[in-house]
Amino acid sequence: MAISSINNFIFEVRRCQPELVGPRKATPHEFKQLSDIDDQESFRFHVPIVHFYKHNPNMEGKDPAKVIKKTLAETLVFYYPLAGRLREGPGRKLFVECTGEGVLFIEADADVTLEEFGDALQSQYTYLDDILYNVPNSDGIVNCPLLLIQVTRLKCGGFIFALRINHTMTDAFGLLSFMTAMAEIAQGASTPSVLPVWQRALLNARDPPRVTCIHREYDQLPNTENIIPLSEMAHRSVFFDQTEISALRKTLPAHLHHCSSFDLITACLWRTRTIALQPHPDDEMRLLCIVNLRSKSNYLPSGYYGNAFAFPAAVTTAGKLSQNPLGYAVELIRKAKAEMSEEYIKSVADLMVIERRPNLTAVRSYAVSDVTRAGFDEVDFGWGKAIFAGPAVGGVATVPGLTSFYVPFTNRKGEKGTVVPFCLPAPAMDRFVVQLDALFKSQPLVEVQNYHKPPFIPSTL
């Protein structure tokens, strides 16, 4: 049993004992090597994803936990490497032993309704341990379950589907393929519409490896900063609707008016965040743009569910970023994103082998990932689409909270937009809110996640 406080209400979670769920029938016992893109030091951590579902009268009498558990066993027949365990070979090279041991599954009940969550739907950090229990000794990288799922029934008839996946096994698009397969099987399909493909050798280093691109995201810099634990950071979410995005666009020169909403939001957050952190004007600041190869080429087969993205970096000094208009940051971001290609990601794989898997540069870095079009909210186990879905908190193995994920959201006024959960040291967060409010004097952007304020009820409920 766990007790959590969100805003001004308390809720209680009662969990059953965690159990292992394996494939419904026997699967091959074999060994599968990860790619050199999968096998990065920066990916040796677990990613939490959370989905909220409303009560559906058409599913009366059906238990979402039982449905999802049965579906999980069926889906693991096709995605059987996820039921195995990672092993570590010479040089810390990772491979999967397909043992069929299974993934962790937890059934739970919470004495709370979806309406009571209010704006806390946008940022689950304060209660994540309750809706996604960290089973002791389960969150290691090797010799541990690769996936953990908790289904929490709510007293309103809705439920929360939360999972935690070992990032070395898959990225957001690969995970979505697995979840989509689960949803299809839950609704009666005998096989997924797109069968999973391993073929991790496609993203292995070349022979001989050769670094052909510049990778500022892996610059090895001395870290003189104090790393603040995630639990001691201030957590907020920023909601951008079309009104704010249009206002930002009007500040740009004419040749940038057709830039993407992602570029605008990212430029705004990176610049404002830098001002709030108050670095020395000559300090280099990095913006790591997470760009997936799948969106850039047809190099990978349909059904490939390994990691297939890179972090091309925009780099400038804090002084230039803070003192120049927003268009300056937009130009840097567009240039960084344009670097992503088949050659770029192959160069990253080669760099991993040559430099023995260097970690991402965490010093004065900020990474962003757009999952607004990934389709997490489209996953339907029979109860309808999720009212909110996406990664709960971002980071890399050494620096939790480094990454912000852009998630689709409908606010309490019924306006559709993008919500960006992120964290900063508390004094910097206060300055960030002031800076962003100043940017939008007439209509501040920040819907501050002050967990002691009364909750609001999103219009989607």
Side-chain angles (χ1 to χ4, degrees):
M1 181 182 294
I3 304 293
S4 289
S5 175
I6 308 172
N7 296 330
N8 285 333
F9 76 96
I10 303 294
F11 75 97
E12 179 183 287
V13 176
R14 300 175 300 282
R15 289 186 293 265
C16 297
Q17 284 297 313
E19 57 184 308
L20 286 172
V21 175
R24 184 186 60 80
K25 60 184 181 181
T27 53
H29 186 284
E30 55 190 8
F31 298 86
K32 290 181 174 290
Q33 194 173 73
L34 297 185
S35 77
D36 289 315
I37 294 298
D38 296 320
D39 193 12
Q40 296 190 50
E41 196 69 26
S42 303
F43 292 175
R44 291 190 173 214
F45 72 109
H46 292 255
V47 181
I49 309 284
V50 180
H51 288 60
F52 293 84
Y53 291 93
K54 291 195 298 184
H55 170 64
N56 184 340
N58 294 329
M59 299 297 284
E60 202 68 49
K62 292 189 177 181
D63 181 347
K66 299 292 191 297
V67 170
I68 290 172
K69 179 181 174 182
K70 181 177 181 294
T71 297
L72 176 61
E74 296 280 354
T75 309
L76 286 173
V77 172
F78 303 95
Y79 286 84
Y80 62 88
L82 293 178
R85 298 293 182 267
L86 279 183
R87 312 299 188 203
E88 200 170 55
R92 300 183 69 232
K93 181 65 183 175
L94 295 176
F95 61 93
V96 183
E97 182 178 0
C98 300
T99 61
E101 291 175 70
V103 304
L104 279 168
F105 184 85
I106 303 170
E107 191 174 326
D109 293 277
D111 186 23
V112 64
T113 66
L114 275 174
E115 286 81 1
E116 289 175 284
F117 278 90
D119 57 354
L121 282 177
Q122 297 181 39
S123 181
Q124 306 87 30
Y125 176 74
T126 56
Y127 55 91
L128 185 62
D129 289 345
D130 300 314
I131 62 172
L132 187 59
Y133 176 54
N134 185 15
V135 178
N137 303 316
S138 71
D139 58 352
I141 299 303
V142 298
N143 307 318
C144 289
L146 298 171
L147 178 65
L148 183 153
I149 292 176
Q150 180 173 326
V151 179
T152 305
R153 293 172 293 250
L154 305 175
K155 69 179 184 180
C156 60
F159 65 96
I160 303 170
F161 172 88
L163 65 79
R164 190 189 71 196
I165 184 79
N166 186 318
H167 201 338
T168 62
M169 289 294 292
T170 189
D171 59 13
F173 286 91
L175 177 59
L176 183 62
S177 297
F178 171 72
M179 295 177 65
T180 299
M182 284 185 64
E184 290 173 345
I185 290 173
Q187 296 201 56
S190 57
T191 61
S193 59
V194 178
L195 291 173
V197 174
W198 187 263
Q199 293 187 24
R200 304 298 172 102
L202 288 171
L203 291 181
N204 273 346
R206 295 168 285 203
D207 187 14
R210 55 193 185 277
V211 178
T212 54
C213 301
I214 297 172
H215 299 288
R216 300 296 308 275
E217 62 271 31
Y218 293 101
D219 287 348
Q220 299 303 292
L221 304 174
N223 191 353
T224 57
E225 300 174 340
N226 293 323
I227 301 298
I228 300 175
L230 194 61
S231 60
E232 297 178 16
M233 292 275 202
H235 295 259
R236 297 286 187 270
S237 289
V238 185
F239 179 74
F240 293 85
D241 67 15
Q242 289 306 311
T243 301
E244 284 95 20
I245 291 173
S246 295
L248 287 175
R249 201 178 298 278
K250 290 175 183 176
T251 69
L252 300 178
H255 73 283
L256 293 177
H257 280 180
H258 297 292
C259 73
S260 68
S261 296
F262 171 85
D263 296 342
L264 277 169
I265 293 172
T266 301
C268 176
L269 291 178
W270 186 30
R271 184 175 181 272
T272 308
R273 185 178 184 275
T274 297
I275 294 170
L277 286 169
Q278 298 182 334
H280 188 279
D282 294 333
D283 284 346
E284 279 191 340
M285 309 300 292
R286 277 171 177 71
L287 189 284
L288 312 185
C289 297
I290 298 176
V291 184
N292 203 288
L293 180 62
R294 296 174 181 87
S295 66
K296 291 285 187 175
S297 78
N298 296 318
Y299 177 69
L300 299 174
S302 176
Y304 185 87
Y305 63 103
N307 288 285
F309 68 93
F311 302 83
V315 184
T316 188
T317 65
K320 289 179 179 178
L321 184 59
S322 302
Q323 294 163 17
N324 276 293
L326 194 63
Y328 174 79
V330 170
E331 294 272 26
L332 290 175
I333 292 162
R334 295 181 77 189
K335 180 176 182 294
K337 287 166 55 183
E339 293 174 1
M340 181 59 175
S341 63
E342 292 175 23
E343 182 60 33
Y344 192 91
I345 202 166
K346 289 177 180 178
S347 180
V348 172
D350 293 345
L351 179 69
M352 292 301 110
V353 170
I354 293 171
E355 300 293 338
R356 298 184 179 182
R357 293 190 301 278
N359 220 324
L360 284 169
T361 303
V363 180
R364 294 182 296 279
S365 292
Y366 178 47
V368 291
S369 179
D370 184 3
V371 297
T372 55
R373 295 181 179 87
F376 281 108
D377 56 336
E378 300 285 326
V379 174
D380 180 358
F381 297 108
W383 278 262
K385 297 177 182 180
I387 63 167
F388 185 84
V393 65
V396 297
T398 53
V399 188
L402 175 68
T403 307
S404 283
F405 292 96
Y406 295 6
V407 180
F409 189 67
T410 301
N411 71 5
R412 54 186 165 179
K413 299 176 184 177
E415 299 163 331
K416 294 183 182 297
T418 299
V419 68
V420 187
F422 69 105
C423 57
L424 282 171
M429 184 63 81
D430 292 340
R431 292 190 291 268
F432 177 90
V433 172
V434 170
Q435 286 290 331
L436 208 54
D437 279 354
L439 183 62
F440 293 86
K441 296 184 179 67
S442 61
Q443 45 187 2
L445 276 177
V446 180
E447 291 189 359
V448 179
Q449 296 278 318
N450 183 334
Y451 296 115
H452 300 289
K453 290 177 66 177
F456 71 80
I457 301 174
S459 62
T460 51
L461 297 180

